[in-house]
Amino acid sequence: GAVVSQHPSWVICKSGTSVKIECRSLDFQATTMFWYRQFPKQSLMLMATSNEGSKATYEQGVEKDKFLINHASLTLSTLTVTSAHPEDSSFYICSARDLIGLGEQYFGPGTRLTVT
Amino acid sequence: KQEVTQIPAALSVPEGENLVLNCSFTDSAIYNLQWFRQDPGKGLTSLLLIQSSQREQTSGRLNASLDKSSGRSTLYIAASQPGDSATYLCAVRAANFGNEKLTFGTGTRLTIIP
């Protein structure tokens, strides 16, 4: 099946710093990628939808200036958490939709962010 | 607004038993429905995808059904194994053009007892 990778798998940073998370579709092209956030024992919460070459669409309540998303190519999207705070600590998961086929979504392994 | 519910929230069954997980959704205008599994601290693994025109999909010991008109889907797992222990999530994609989002259910945490 299709593979989506994320890097890093975990990161610890200090308050006030910025962290970049990469999401890559390894063996398929994705015009649309999604970024989710997941709190312990809860389901996934969609943060934003990114389309290659255009601005991301953010869900209500998600600060676009804090969570910067760039979808520079058909295989790479990045999420930058700017001026991180402890409350940004969470599990971030990206997803990519295959350009062709049935529109199945494939998910990355997630990135555990801890802000101290 | 689409709402997706999964019942039960948690389930424990002895190894070898067959089991059914349930998913219901409020808006029947869906494009497709996907079942995923998530292991603790991991991402999601896609199990089965059912298009709105289909009634079921099978993969190995897994069978997913879809009754779009009643807003229900079930995931049947045959001959359960301890390795099946995970959280199972269903998600629906809206049918309206331009709506790319998946709406996730609350998940069922499955434990298979050896």
Side-chain angles (χ1 to χ4, degrees):
Chain A
V3 178
V4 176
S5 70
Q6 276 184 249
H7 178 80
S9 56
W10 60 271
V11 58
I12 301 173
C13 69
K14 293 185 177 180
S15 290
T17 62
S18 295
V19 174
K20 179 184 284 188
I21 303 170
E22 289 189 351
C23 175
R24 294 181 185 270
S25 55
L26 297 186
D27 49 3
F28 67 99
Q29 292 184 324
T31 53
T32 306
M33 289 187 172
F34 307 84
W35 287 95
Y36 295 84
R37 184 173 180 177
Q38 187 178 33
F39 293 102
K41 297 188 178 182
Q42 294 188 24
S43 194
L44 280 71
M45 181 192 79
L46 180 65
M47 298 175 65
T49 302
S50 75
N51 292 292
E52 185 262 339
S54 63
K55 290 184 178 180
T57 302
Y58 290 81
E59 294 300 299
Q60 193 171 11
V62 178
E63 299 176 59
K64 62 180 181 181
D65 294 330
K66 180 168 186 60
F67 299 99
L68 301 179
I69 292 172
N70 182 275
H71 192 158
S73 75
L74 288 174
T75 59
L76 172 65
S77 177
T78 60
L79 167 68
T80 301
V81 183
T82 63
S83 186
H85 290 144
E87 56 264 32
D88 297 327
S89 298
S90 190
F91 193 55
Y92 292 88
I93 305 177
C94 75
S95 174
R97 178 168 291 149
D98 200 336
L99 184 61
I100 59 176
L102 302 176
E104 191 167 355
Q105 265 187 243
Y106 303 97
F107 285 76
T111 296
R112 172 74 58 191
L113 170 63
T114 302
V115 184
T116 61
Chain B
K1 178 187 174 185
Q2 179 74 272
E3 293 183 3
V4 183
T5 305
Q6 290 184 246
I7 296 172
L11 180 65
S12 294
V13 299
E15 180 179 1
E17 284 197 3
N18 304 325
L19 60 100
V20 175
L21 306 180
N22 297 293
C23 172
S24 61
F25 46 95
T26 55
D27 187 348
S28 62
I30 65 169
Y31 183 77
N32 60 35
L33 181 147
Q34 271 185 272
W35 281 93
F36 299 90
R37 73 172 276 169
Q38 184 177 30
D39 294 287
K42 306 291 185 182
L44 274 65
T45 300
S46 179
L47 298 174
L48 290 164
L49 179 147
I50 309 178
Q51 298 294 344
S52 62
S53 59
Q54 298 175 319
R55 293 193 66 84
E56 67 176 340
Q57 281 287 336
T58 298
S59 176
R61 294 183 293 109
L62 306 179
N63 176 278
S65 69
L66 174 65
D67 184 343
K68 196 174 69 166
S69 61
S70 67
R72 296 172 189 258
S73 176
T74 61
L75 179 66
Y76 174 83
I77 302 177
S80 58
Q81 303 171 358
D84 295 331
S85 298
T87 296
Y88 289 79
L89 296 160
C90 70
V92 298
R93 179 179 168 189
N96 48 311
F97 180 76
N99 188 340
E100 304 286 336
K101 297 185 290 188
L102 286 180
T103 301
F104 280 88
T106 45
T108 294
R109 189 168 65 253
L110 176 65
T111 302
I112 305 301
I113 305 166

